[in-house]
Amino acid sequence: MDFIRYEAKGSVGIIYLNRPKALNALNSQVLQELDLAMDSIDLEIIRVLIITGEGDKAFAAGADIGEMSTLPRKRAAEFSKKGNDVFLKIENYPIPVIAAVNGYALGGGCELSMCCDIRICSENAVFGQPETGLGITPGFGGTQRLERIVGAGRAKEMVLAATNIKADEAYRIGLVNHVYPQAELMDAALKLAGKIASNAPIAVRHAKKSMNEGYSLPIDEAVEVEEELFGDCFQTHDQKEGMGAFLEKRKEKNFINQ
Ligand code: CAA
């Protein structure tokens, strides 16, 4: 792959957007390779995925403006769908995905971070949806996910006024969970990933699925999704192991992903 680098560290996978000369801008090839990379991860081994950007300047500075600039209507809508399809794949990926935002996360970059389950960032991170200043709307989910994360009022100000915000503001409004000095970002991401990976994998997957699926349902239907997935956990080895360890006052747990 030209623009994606993948690395596995134990049970944690790391995808690097690797187009630093263009600030990791998302062209069709980057999206295609990201899609392929997601498909080729061995989910029997990998329990948490981290997505970050190569270099110390950008997570991703958006969809590729050069590529988009001459698109006719139909192909522009297809480009939007291409991004949305990959980002939906990330959002619905069976294992948790952490965005480690290491610099600019603008337009499609901000949108990429928002389809991940958890966002953390470095102190130099900048988030924003500058699209209206380019004569377009956000097209990779930004008109939908930003208001779900930070609320409609703040999201509309960011999108309609095309206002970028720095890491401290992103933290204040809940767009990111933690801010770190850049040199510490990946260690922090790996530590968080390790903590998630130490829990029962099927329970972690089911909890993500329950939260995702329930979110857009009325509460009475949403809790039914939860009830089924909760019940399913009781068919697993790891439920017996987790509860057995508690009852036997045992610290070590041997979760086997079954
Ligand atoms: N698309 C294509 N190329 C990009 C890019 C993008 N989104 N962002 C940066 N680049 C390229 C620049 O063209 C430049 O390339 P050259 O060296 O070949 O000229 C290189 O990356 C470095 O960028 P700058 O020289 O501009 O770096 P800077 O430090 O002066 O500025 C920046 C950094 C503020 C992030 C600036 O690059 C910028 O404003 N980028 C565009 C951000 C943007 O508008 N993103 C939204 C895109 S639209 C979108 O994403 C739609 C959607 O939802 C689908």
Side-chain angles (χ1 to χ4, degrees):
M1 290 196 192
D2 296 327
F3 295 139
I4 295 290
R5 185 164 74 79
Y6 177 72
E7 188 183 343
K9 287 194 174 177
S11 56
V12 179
I14 309 171
I15 284 180
Y16 295 86
L17 303 175
N18 187 18
R19 199 190 170 203
K21 281 189 188 142
L23 304 188
N24 300 322
L26 305 163
N27 62 15
S28 296
Q29 189 181 342
V30 176
L31 292 172
Q32 178 74 18
E33 290 184 7
L34 180 56
D35 195 29
L36 286 172
M38 303 289 298
D39 283 343
S40 56
I41 291 170
D42 184 349
L43 294 176
E44 289 298 313
I45 296 169
I46 299 301
R47 296 184 180 182
V48 182
L49 179 64
I50 297 170
I51 298 180
T52 191
E54 200 72 69
D56 56 11
K57 205 170 160 187
F59 177 69
D64 192 300
I65 298 172
E67 181 178 338
M68 286 184 295
S69 60
T70 57
L71 292 179
R73 188 209 180 279
K74 187 164 178 291
R75 293 211 20 237
E78 285 166 4
F79 185 66
S80 172
K81 177 163 170 46
K82 190 176 189 128
N84 276 333
D85 285 350
V86 182
F87 289 9
L88 277 170
K89 179 180 278 188
I90 295 170
E91 186 165 76
N92 295 321
Y93 208 52
I95 59 172
V97 184
I98 299 170
V101 177
N102 57 311
Y104 289 112
L106 299 177
C110 186
E111 291 164 312
L112 173 59
S113 78
M114 292 192 293
C115 70
C116 298
D117 298 297
I118 297 169
R119 283 156 297 286
I120 62 174
C121 77
S122 54
E123 288 166 343
N124 67 330
V126 177
F127 293 81
Q129 299 290 159
E131 287 90 345
T132 56
L134 294 165
I136 59 173
T137 64
F140 292 169
T143 59
Q144 305 306 314
R145 291 195 180 92
L146 186 58
E147 62 182 348
R148 291 176 189 208
I149 296 170
V150 304
R154 287 189 175 112
K156 283 180 176 160
E157 181 176 344
M158 281 178 71
V159 170
L160 304 180
T163 314
N164 292 345
I165 58 171
K166 293 185 177 167
D168 56 347
E169 178 71 354
Y171 175 72
R172 198 180 67 76
I173 67 174
L175 184 53
V176 296
N177 292 10
H178 307 282
V179 182
Y180 300 96
Q182 185 154 52
E184 294 168 24
L185 178 67
M186 279 315 286
D187 281 348
L190 285 164
K191 194 170 167 196
L192 176 58
K195 186 150 176 27
I196 296 170
S198 72
N199 290 321
I202 295 170
V204 168
R205 287 180 184 214
H206 280 13
K208 169 173 172 169
K209 192 173 158 75
S210 184
M211 286 190 270
N212 275 9
E213 286 186 8
Y215 193 84
S216 54
L217 294 173
I219 187 71
D220 53 338
E221 291 174 36
V223 292
E224 284 175 15
V225 173
E226 183 181 78
E227 288 155 18
E228 289 305 311
L229 290 163
F230 177 80
D232 285 352
C233 290
F234 286 75
Q235 296 176 317
T236 66
H237 163 278
D238 288 348
Q239 174 266 328
K240 290 165 188 60
E241 172 65 10
M243 292 192 172
F246 175 81
L247 294 172
E248 292 157 24
K249 303 192 186 305
R250 180 160 52 81
K251 276 221 170 75
E252 307 72 37
K253 286 176 253 183
N254 182 28
F255 291 132
I256 61 170
N257 197 13
Q258 282 172 23

